[in-house]
Amino acid sequence: MSEMEPKVRIPQQKRSIETKNRIFVAAKDQFAKNGFHGTNTKEIASAAGVSVGSFYSYFKDKKELFMAIFREHIEEKIVRILGEHQVDPNNRKESVYRLIKAMLEAHEPYPQFHREVLAMRYSDPEVDAVFTEMDQHSLGHVVRFIEQFRDKLRIEDIHTAARIISAAVEEIICSITIFGEDGDADRLIDGLADMIHRYLFD
């Protein structure tokens, strides 16, 4: 996934690594709180406890930093967490439940930032391109998940089933992590797992 690698300076010293990390954390908070257009580099640098000049030694502007955070989220959360997702071929419903939980976990960090990315998807071609790549990665994971139960499936078109399931899971994830329906999270996940299980197998 080399096309998603952020074009930023790679720090060599411990202090540089710590500085970059502070900028990352501060920027996530600022973007989540004020949105992309409501945040400027001076505010990010101040929140990180660094000078504006130090900020520009790592990033040419706030857009490059925003995209670096987005790409890091994909690589460190979505790719890693979905890659670690385990399937139990002897327990289909539990496997479906674990799939939903893995996809939820991949989206949980910084839900407000995810909301801002979602909003920018429809106005910024660069954000949309990376978002589409993220969707394709998640879709591919769901396809591979379904294929492991090929001889037990009720449905025949695996790719279409994966698109339907991905859309349903994404909707519930948004309800829980972005729109704050935490009180209903367990019921939503249980209901979704039951629905997907019936769709695929019953």
Side-chain angles (χ1 to χ4, degrees):
M1 303 178 71
S2 58
E3 65 273 17
M4 296 197 310
E5 293 177 0
K7 298 178 181 179
V8 300
R9 177 181 127 189
I10 306 300
Q12 301 298 321
Q13 303 297 325
K14 182 179 179 180
R15 175 186 284 182
S16 295
I17 295 172
E18 291 174 348
T19 299
K20 181 186 174 186
N21 287 341
R22 288 204 306 274
I23 293 172
F24 254 66
V25 171
K28 287 178 184 178
D29 289 336
Q30 292 297 311
F31 287 137
K33 186 187 305 180
N34 304 315
F36 175 79
H37 297 292
T39 300
N40 59 49
T41 55
K42 184 177 180 180
E43 292 167 340
I44 295 172
S46 176
V50 303
S51 67
V52 174
S54 181
F55 174 95
Y56 284 114
S57 71
Y58 292 96
F59 305 97
K60 68 179 183 181
D61 52 31
K62 69 174 182 178
K63 176 64 178 298
E64 184 176 62
L65 173 55
F66 185 88
M67 295 307 299
I69 293 170
F70 188 19
R71 293 184 182 102
E72 182 200 51
H73 170 72
I74 295 173
E75 293 288 353
E76 295 299 322
K77 302 298 188 299
I78 295 177
V79 174
R80 179 181 61 79
I81 291 172
L82 293 185
E84 293 173 352
H85 169 230
Q86 299 295 316
V87 173
D88 181 357
N90 298 315
N91 192 332
R92 293 173 296 185
K93 192 165 186 178
E94 177 64 21
S95 292
V96 170
Y97 181 82
R98 289 180 186 175
L99 171 69
I100 297 169
K101 291 292 286 185
M103 295 177 74
L104 177 62
E105 184 184 352
H107 287 78
E108 276 184 338
Y110 286 93
Q112 294 87 356
F113 179 79
H114 187 75
R115 180 188 300 171
E116 183 66 13
V117 169
L118 187 63
M120 289 183 65
R121 178 178 193 178
Y122 302 102
S123 61
D124 190 300
E126 186 179 2
V127 173
D128 181 56
V130 179
F131 213 113
T132 298
E133 187 172 351
M134 179 180 72
D135 284 347
Q136 289 302 311
H137 182 86
S138 295
L139 178 63
H141 180 78
V142 177
V143 168
R144 290 188 294 274
F145 169 82
I146 297 173
E147 286 176 339
Q148 295 183 69
F149 300 96
R150 184 180 291 273
D151 61 337
K152 301 179 178 67
L153 296 173
R154 180 184 69 83
I155 55 92
E156 296 181 359
D157 187 340
I158 291 178
H159 194 270
T160 296
R163 290 180 62 190
I164 292 170
I165 291 169
S166 294
V169 173
E170 183 66 26
E171 179 66 25
I172 295 302
I173 286 172
C174 286
S175 295
I176 295 171
T177 65
I178 296 180
F179 300 114
E181 297 180 10
D182 293 334
D184 294 325
D186 290 339
R187 284 182 293 175
L188 288 170
I189 293 171
D190 288 343
L192 181 60
D194 184 63
M195 182 185 77
I196 292 174
H197 181 267
R198 291 174 183 272
Y199 170 59
L200 288 176
F201 304 112
D202 292 347

